[in-house]
């Protein structure tokens, strides 16, 4: 399926997602709307620092995003580079191993059979990637492709909302929430002596354990109210 989603449909979706919590609601609502993916992940661009996983819903999405970030390889990385969806219905195919020799076998070992990546574009610049993954191989239907494309387009507008709510600054590349999350990740890296994916997992795990939003945990880290200890899972 090609072409941009209808602006009126994207606009209605943006309104619903704003009411549900903005960018933090994207993965959960996308997964529920499509129904077929095992997991959905949203990875955001963090300027010179690269990419980080902003949110996810369902199983396997966490593993898929962490692998792509750590290996700098995979359908999401290619979608950001080409500015087009990258749809991989079978990671066991020789073509998948040829395109991503590190990512494909490691993703299969994690139980991932299919990945469908949709770039989130702002002025034709990739600011994030919305990834759908499944434990079973098979193509993504045209209808589901259309739905995922609408969610990717809506995410771009939600990120712009975040940026416009931030204090004006020259050359800003990140929505304020993404920038604050990046800063918190950096602090956790220093606290636990680990890499960025591990620090992000600790933030998300803390939020899930205490039924907080990721933004609340980020605020606690930035304010100094929350510190993570080295060597603990949470």
């Amino acid at each position: 399926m090609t072409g941009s989603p209808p602006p009126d449909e994207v606009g209605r979706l943006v309104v619903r997602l704003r009411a549900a919590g903005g960018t933090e609601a994207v993965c959960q609502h996308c997964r529920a709307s499509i129904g077929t993916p095992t997991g959905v992940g949203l990875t955001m661009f963090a300027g010179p620092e690269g990419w980080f996983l902003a949110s996810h819903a369902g199983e396997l999405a966490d593993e898929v995003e962490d692998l792509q970030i750590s290996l700098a390889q995979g359908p999401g990385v290619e979608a950001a580079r080409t500015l087009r969806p990258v749809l991989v219905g079978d990671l066991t195919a020789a073509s998948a191993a040829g395109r991503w020799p590190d990512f494909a076998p490691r993703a299969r070992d994690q139980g991932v059979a299919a990945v469908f990546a949709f770039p989130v574009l702002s002025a034709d610049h990739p600011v994030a990637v919305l990834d759908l993954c499944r434990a079973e191989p098979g193509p993504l239907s045209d209808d589901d492709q259309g739905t995922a494309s609408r969610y990717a387009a809506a995410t771009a507008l939600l990120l712009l909302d975040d940026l416009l709510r931030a204090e004006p600054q020259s050359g800003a590349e990140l929505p304020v929430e993404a920038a604050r999350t990046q800063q918190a990740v950096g602090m956790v890296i220093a606290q636990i002596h680990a890499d960025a994916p591990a620090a992000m997992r600790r933030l998300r795990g803390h939020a899930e354990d205490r039924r907080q939003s990721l933004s609340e945990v980020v605020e606690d880290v930035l304010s100094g109210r929350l510190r993570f200890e080295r060597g603990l899972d949470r």
Side-chain angles (χ1 to χ4, degrees), residues 27 37-43 51-79 86 88 91 100 102-118 129-136 197 201 204:
C27 291
T38 303
V40 178
L42 177 63
T43 298
W51 297 81
F52 70 92
L53 176 57
S55 65
H56 74 285
E59 299 179 358
L60 300 180
D62 191 1
E63 290 84 349
V64 166
E65 301 305 281
D66 281 351
L67 278 176
Q68 293 191 102
I69 291 169
S70 62
L71 298 173
Q73 188 180 105
V77 177
E78 186 170 323
V86 176
V88 186
L91 279 175
W100 311 293
D102 297 321
F103 170 81
R106 292 180 64 174
R108 293 198 305 268
D109 288 345
Q110 295 284 352
V112 182
V115 179
F116 311 100
F118 295 81
V129 176
L130 186 67
D131 286 323
L132 285 61
C133 62
R134 286 199 310 229
E136 300 294 333
R201 284 195 295 271
R204 289 198 309 271

